[in-house]
Amino acid sequence: MRVLDLFSGIGGFSLGLERAGMETVAFCEIEEYPRKVLEKHWPNVPIYNDVRELTNDRLKQDGITNIDVICGGFP
């Protein structure tokens, strides 16, 4: 299953979901430090900065389709 991780922090939800066999296809995190951690551990997964600007059209433009799960660590 393909996961979109919102309010990602340092990727705790994605880490667990990937251990359960899922694939994280994109992150969205506004804070700089957690984005650096995500970039280090998931170098090939896109990271969006602002959930208010993340749309289905934007994801499609970037080739991210067929999302099965949306998770989020809401602030």
Side-chain angles (χ1 to χ4, degrees), residues 1-3 11-24 42 68-69 71:
M1 296 184 86
R2 296 167 51 86
V3 177
F13 284 135
S14 281
L15 184 62
L17 292 170
E18 288 184 355
R19 288 182 179 175
M22 298 184 193
E23 172 193 10
T24 301
W42 288 273
D68 300 300
V69 175
C71 70

Side-chain angles (χ1 to χ4, degrees), residues 17-69:
L17 292 170
E18 288 184 355
R19 288 182 179 175
M22 298 184 193
E23 172 193 10
T24 301
V25 296
F27 293 105
C28 189
E29 173 57 50
I30 199 165
E31 297 294 330
E32 181 179 351
Y33 177 76
R35 282 196 316 263
K36 289 181 181 182
V37 174
L38 295 171
E39 289 172 3
K40 178 181 179 188
H41 293 286
W42 288 273
N44 298 317
V45 177
I47 304 170
Y48 297 92
N49 294 336
D50 193 338
V51 71
R52 296 171 293 183
E53 298 174 4
L54 185 58
T55 65
N56 189 45
D57 288 338
R58 173 70 192 273
L59 291 169
K60 284 182 181 179
Q61 287 173 358
D62 294 342
I64 300 168
T65 59
N66 300 324
I67 295 169
D68 300 300
V69 175

